[in-house]
Amino acid sequence: MKRAVITATLLIALPSLVMSQEGKPAPLLAMKDIEGRAVRLSDYKGKVVLLNFWATWCAPCRAEMPDLVKWQREYRKHGLQVIGVTYPPEELAEVRKFTKSIKINYPIVLGEKRTKAIFDEGETLPITVVIDKKGLVHQVIQGIIFPEEFEQNVKPLLR
């Protein structure tokens, strides 16, 4: 009974925690990419950013990556910037090998649990944070971002 009450409480509270980020300014994040270069979220102000938390071992993450590559290629000129954030931190060599094998065309940075916790404290992967051109968190998508969601929630921000 106690477990059911705790589970019900979490199911009610978690969506509100995630939604509490929406409409707020994106945090000032600075991370290192897989080549050791600094990547700052603030460098992308004026662009629509998809901050995508993923892991090499995560099957849903791997399933959505071809769409992220396609959208980055097709909508870069319209102001889209995808940034992949590894979670939890993984072996750098493994991340490099994986991203090279599927020809990732956007920056991959090494994340930490606390980085993801800013947007979502759960263990769900992937998570995609949609940040608008003004630098505001527009939406936090738990799980795969499907083409329909991209059409409805991201494409309008690119106009």
Side-chain angles (χ1 to χ4, degrees):
M1 180 67 172
K2 187 176 181 181
R3 179 179 280 168
V5 171
I6 291 170
T7 301
T9 303
L10 286 175
L11 289 174
I12 292 167
L14 283 178
S16 63
L17 289 173
V18 170
M19 288 180 66
S20 69
Q21 291 295 317
E22 294 175 9
K24 292 186 178 177
L28 299 173
L29 295 177
M31 299 166 279
K32 295 278 186 190
D33 72 8
I34 59 176
E35 302 306 324
R37 295 178 298 246
V39 174
R40 290 173 195 78
L41 195 52
S42 60
D43 293 342
Y44 299 100
K45 194 162 187 177
K47 294 184 179 270
V48 174
V49 176
L50 299 182
L51 194 61
N52 178 257
F53 291 87
W54 67 284
T56 57
W57 49 262
C58 168
C61 301
R62 295 168 79 114
E64 80 175 347
M65 286 180 129
D67 281 334
L68 294 171
V69 168
K70 178 179 129 188
W71 296 330
Q72 179 62 46
R73 183 180 60 249
E74 290 179 11
Y75 296 100
R76 171 182 279 142
K77 292 179 182 172
H78 299 282
L80 178 69
Q81 182 60 61
V82 178
I83 302 172
V85 183
T86 62
Y87 177 86
E90 298 187 63
E91 286 294 319
L92 182 57
E94 183 180 337
V95 173
R96 283 182 177 152
K97 180 180 173 186
F98 174 75
T99 58
K100 191 178 283 188
S101 74
I102 62 168
K103 299 180 174 119
I104 296 292
N105 60 352
Y106 50 85
I108 299 291
V109 297
L110 301 171
E112 298 177 356
K113 286 187 178 195
R114 65 186 171 152
T115 309
K116 182 178 174 284
I118 294 168
F119 303 102
D120 178 77
E121 293 189 15
E123 294 298 319
T124 301
L125 283 177
I127 294 282
T128 302
V129 181
V130 181
I131 301 169
D132 68 19
K133 291 181 178 183
K134 295 176 185 171
L136 301 176
V137 175
H138 180 73
Q139 185 176 20
V140 178
I141 300 170
Q142 296 181 335
I144 293 173
I145 177 171
F146 292 105
E148 300 80 26
E149 288 174 298
F150 182 85
E151 290 289 324
Q152 290 177 350
N153 300 312
V154 178
K155 252 179 115 176
L157 300 175
L158 294 169
R159 296 187 181 117

